[in-house]
Amino acid sequence: MSSGEMIIVYKVILATLAIIIIILVILLFICCKKKPIKAEETPPTKQVPCSYSLMDIHEATDGFNYRRIIGQGRIGSVYIGILPNGDQQVAIKRIHPRLVLSNAGFGFSSMMKWLSLADHPNVVPILGFSEAPGERIVVMEFGGMLSLDFYLHQNDRDGGGGVSLLDWNCRLRVAAGTARGIEYLHEVMVPHIVHGSIKPSNILIDVKFCARVCDYGLYFFLTSYDKRQLGLMGYVDDEYWIGNEKRGCCKESDVYGLGVVLLELLSGRKCDQESLLVKWALPLIKEMKFGEFLDNRLMLPSDVRPLVRLAKVALACVGNSRKSRPSIVQVAAILNNLEVGLL
């Protein structure tokens, strides 16, 4: 081989090595650019709820002063207060002593720590709790929220009180937000949370008219008698009561309750324990008599198709057995699409 040929071979070898080095550098660069193993994508763990002393709660509510009560129900009374060393108003739910005594052996603090893990824009967060002899207290975010029950029913009955009636667009957003909150409790929380009492008084509306589900999971306080007196009748399906309540609360009963809420949003009528709202509404929806069904306090929108679709979703939620009822995932998907259509 001549010296010229050797030079050519040498240059070819150098060029080949250079190409290999360049390829290796490129591959190394690509590998370095890859994200680390999802460490940054792991959602932050919610802070453990505060355990307050009864003295803290007593101070925050001025000794459970009745003037601080902002809501009362079968489970307990809700006070507005500011906790020591805090500047944020909170809602303080004091469980009725009778229910505390009937659940004396129940792991209240463990339950509160689990429920407080719920963290979603359409769920009212639990900030803390207090446990003492004869006392069980839940501390929740407040933020000046009013219940859907107030907007739909008490607001109209009390002459408005300076609060405007929810228009159709707001009602569609409330429906979608409520469904998302329930979907989060049912499908994202582990173990899942069954609300147990889906009704307008347990759906709060914040200052941005965003629906937020509250009082989730607290149905465990109630005995058979208490559940009937709580106002659950009308908001749970007939199967709830079969076999001495062996079937009781479940995801399907929550979906039924959401269906009743949708009927109230559409009609403006309040549900009653005899389920007369459901019996009145279903034939009107099936026969497409929306002029008789929709809330006559509001003008009909130019396009009623979203309301018709919402009514059909309500029909599927309350008009079917548990086996045939849509899941909250299916309901939320439809309502989210209706909300997107408003934009």
Side-chain angles (χ1 to χ4, degrees), residues 51-72:
S51 177
Y52 295 100
S53 69
L54 190 57
M55 288 298 296
D56 289 336
I57 302 298
H58 198 271
E59 180 180 345
T61 59
D62 293 337
F64 296 109
N65 191 319
Y66 74 92
R67 292 187 178 90
R68 286 188 170 270
I69 294 177
I70 57 174
Q72 290 180 301

Side-chain angles (χ1 to χ4, degrees), residues 23 32 43 47 76 91 109 147 189 252:
I23 292 173
C32 291
Q47 187 176 359
S109 61
S147 72
M189 286 295 296
E252 291 80 8

Side-chain angles (χ1 to χ4, degrees), residues 20 28 68 80 89 100 113 145 154 168 236 261 271 342:
I20 293 173
L28 182 62
R68 286 188 170 270
I80 187 171
Q89 286 185 327
V100 173
K113 289 175 182 178
M145 294 180 281
Q154 298 178 42
W168 290 120
V236 292
V261 170
C271 180
L342 299 176

Side-chain angles (χ1 to χ4, degrees), residues 30-172:
I30 292 173
C31 290
C32 291
K33 287 288 287 183
K34 285 185 177 180
K35 292 182 179 180
I37 300 174
K38 295 189 179 180
E40 298 178 356
E41 298 176 10
T42 303
T45 302
K46 190 179 178 184
Q47 187 176 359
V48 175
C50 295
S51 177
Y52 295 100
S53 69
L54 190 57
M55 288 298 296
D56 289 336
I57 302 298
H58 198 271
E59 180 180 345
T61 59
D62 293 337
F64 296 109
N65 191 319
Y66 74 92
R67 292 187 178 90
R68 286 188 170 270
I69 294 177
I70 57 174
Q72 290 180 301
R74 295 288 179 176
I75 292 181
S77 299
V78 181
Y79 300 78
I80 187 171
I82 299 178
L83 293 165
N85 302 321
D87 55 2
Q88 177 186 10
Q89 286 185 327
V90 294
I92 298 172
K93 191 177 192 77
R94 186 187 194 188
I95 308 300
H96 286 313
R98 173 175 53 83
L99 298 179
V100 173
L101 291 175
S102 63
N103 291 273
F106 191 83
F108 176 73
S109 61
S110 298
M111 177 63 76
M112 288 300 102
K113 289 175 182 178
W114 168 46
L115 295 178
S116 69
L117 294 176
D119 186 13
H120 188 272
N122 297 111
V123 171
V124 177
I126 293 175
L127 306 178
F129 63 94
S130 180
E131 185 175 17
E135 293 283 1
R136 300 291 185 272
I137 292 162
V138 184
V139 180
M140 301 168 288
E141 185 178 288
F142 174 58
M145 294 180 281
L146 295 172
S147 72
L148 178 59
D149 181 69
F150 178 85
Y151 277 102
L152 289 179
H153 309 303
Q154 298 178 42
N155 177 40
D156 184 56
R157 183 172 60 217
D158 298 338
V163 179
S164 61
L165 194 65
L166 296 177
D167 61 27
W168 290 120
N169 283 355
C170 278
R171 295 188 191 200
L172 284 170

